[in-house]
Structure formats: C-alpha cells, structure tokens
Amino acid sequence: MKPKLVIFDFDGTLGDTRHNIVVTLQRTMSLLGLPLRSESECASTIGLTLEDSFRTMYPEIDEAKAKECVATYRDIFYQSIEELTPNLFDGVSDTLARLHAMDIKMSIASSRSSPSLLLFLRNMAIAKYFGVVLGSDNVTRHKPQPEPVLRSLAEYGVKPSEALVVGDMPVDVLMAHNAGVRCVAVSYGNATAEELAAVEADYIIDRFALLADIIEGM
C-alpha cells in the first residue's frame, strides 16, 4: 500500500547537520570545562534530545548541569548560525517535490527544538512541503517513543498502515516500530547500514532520491 503520509526526521536525513551539531557540542564542552568528546562520540548521540545527548556523553552530570549544557549549546548555536548553516542532502528538494506531486502528505518529527528546525526549513526553502512540524519541545515522550509519529497520524487522520517514517538513526526506526509504521532508513546520515539493519528497518537506502522509487513500488 502506498503511504498517504511520510514522516521525516530532519538531522542526517534531510539536512546535513553533522558538522554543525558536532562543532556546537564541542564548543559547549570547551566553554563549560567538560572533557572533550570525539566527533564520533558526539555524532552517535544525534537523534536524541540535547539533554539526553549530554547525559549520554556525561552520565555523571546532574540535572542542573545538563540544563546548563543545553542552554549553552543553544546560545552558541544561534551565535554561529551564519557560520554553521547546513545544506540539504543531494536529491532532497527534487524528491520532496516529486512526493508532493504524488499528493503525499509530509510532516517532520525531529529531536531538534522547533525554533531552529523551522528556521532551517525556511532557509532551505522546503518548509512549504510540511503541514506538521514537531520538534523536541512539541512532545513529552521523545524518540524512540512513538509520540511524534502518533501525533502526526492524528493530525492527518491517517492509520499507521498508511504512513511511512524516514530517518537516519536507530531511534527513528524504533520510533516507527513502536508506532506500528513502516520505516525507510537512510545510510548516508549518522548511522551505518549495519546499525540500521540491526534494528530491522524495512528499507535501507544510500541516496534520498531512491525514496520516491520505493514509494511508487508499494
């Protein structure tokens, strides 16, 4: 069955934000005097909320310190927005236009906060495709919990069998599974094809443009 709704992750799926995120995380660590984590350690937390990212890398920090990390990260992010503006991955703009022409509804379910998410979508000229945009501040139970997907389904009046999740991290795949929705995982983002296969993604693609082909074949 062709999906009526496609629910997209943003970081590592639509936007190539790895460098942006890693640099901002490491600048936060330096400013707060935390032990510096490597690029791969930072990138492995993409897909989690900011607070969960810092808690994963620093299990010993308390709630107050975790919140300080988040606030500092956001200050640095907005101060560096011009320097660290990300790009769309190859094929994203054309493929979104192709899905729109197929009358497929689209939404965003991201662990990024909604202000920066909306800013990027506008700057990348793709905001027009998404009727529902959910950031980390719009839900209470984050990935891999199914709330972001269930909220999108409810907004559009779509059944789980009529939807598809597209993401780049195991938490995206698990979120889809927990909501009873099929998932396409992209291997060009922040997780390997092996990591995505381990959590049983329904499809794994290495180019975004292949998504429209998969959907047309459903």
Side-chain angles (χ1 to χ4, degrees), residues 5 22 50 63 79 94 96 124 137 148 179 191 209 215:
L5 170 66
V22 169
L50 273 177
E63 182 177 356
Q79 291 166 9
D94 290 344
L96 294 179
M124 293 171 163
D137 50 324
I215 290 173

Side-chain angles (χ1 to χ4, degrees), residues 125-148:
I126 59 172
K128 60 186 176 184
Y129 294 118
F130 305 104
V132 174
V133 176
L134 298 174
S136 61
D137 50 324
N138 301 126
V139 298
T140 56
R141 302 188 70 195
H142 303 99
K143 302 177 184 181
Q145 297 302 316
E147 183 182 343

Side-chain angles (χ1 to χ4, degrees), residues 7 19 39-40 42 58 66 76 78 87 96 115 128 144 147 158 164 195 204 211-213 215 218:
I7 303 164
H19 177 71
E39 177 181 351
S40 61
C42 291
Y58 304 101
I76 294 170
Y78 285 108
N87 296 311
L96 294 179
K128 60 186 176 184
E147 183 182 343
V158 171
L164 186 69
E195 290 170 326
I204 299 175
L211 174 64
D213 296 334
I215 290 173
M218 287 181 170

